[in-house]
Amino acid sequence: MAATIGTPLVSEVIGSVRLLVVPVTFDSSYPTNGESVDFTSTGTLSTVLSVSVAPYTGGGIGAYYVPTNHTTGKIVAVYGDNDGGANGEFVEATSTDNLSAETVLCTVIGR
């Protein structure tokens, strides 16, 4: 399965770009290195210029920080790891974690 893009909450043309604000729900088996999300599948964009991600709803909301990997275009779920270990302050969710209760809000700028 893959992450699911919800109905856009905002879809506005501003100058030469389009701004979309859309909820994205993770799937029941998180893939290592993040979720691929194709925002062009909304039918309103042919090119994505920028994506910002923020927590929205879910069972563990606040537990996950969701940066976008701009190199791969993936949304990555990481959580705070304050054990002082060598793996750093944030750790990516484990492959196959069920994050289907987690929805993030994506602000997408494109054309």
Side-chain angles (χ1 to χ4, degrees), residues 24-39:
V24 173
T25 302
F26 285 92
D27 70 5
S28 59
S29 183
Y30 178 79
T32 300
N33 297 321
E35 294 275 9
S36 293
V37 181
D38 180 9
F39 292 103

Side-chain angles (χ1 to χ4, degrees), residues 19-104:
L19 171 75
L20 285 180
V21 178
V22 293
V24 173
T25 302
F26 285 92
D27 70 5
S28 59
S29 183
Y30 178 79
T32 300
N33 297 321
E35 294 275 9
S36 293
V37 181
D38 180 9
F39 292 103
T40 63
S41 70
T42 62
T44 57
L45 298 174
S46 59
T47 303
V48 174
L49 302 173
S50 175
V51 179
S52 296
V53 183
Y56 188 49
T57 63
I61 203 61
Y64 290 96
Y65 167 67
V66 285
T68 304
N69 182 328
H70 294 284
T71 303
T72 64
K74 295 182 178 184
I75 298 174
V76 182
V78 298
Y79 59 91
D81 178 33
N82 299 318
D83 66 3
N87 53 5
E89 295 179 20
F90 292 99
V91 176
E92 182 178 3
T94 304
S95 176
T96 71
D97 276 357
N98 182 354
L99 300 183
S100 62
E102 304 298 329
T103 299
V104 294

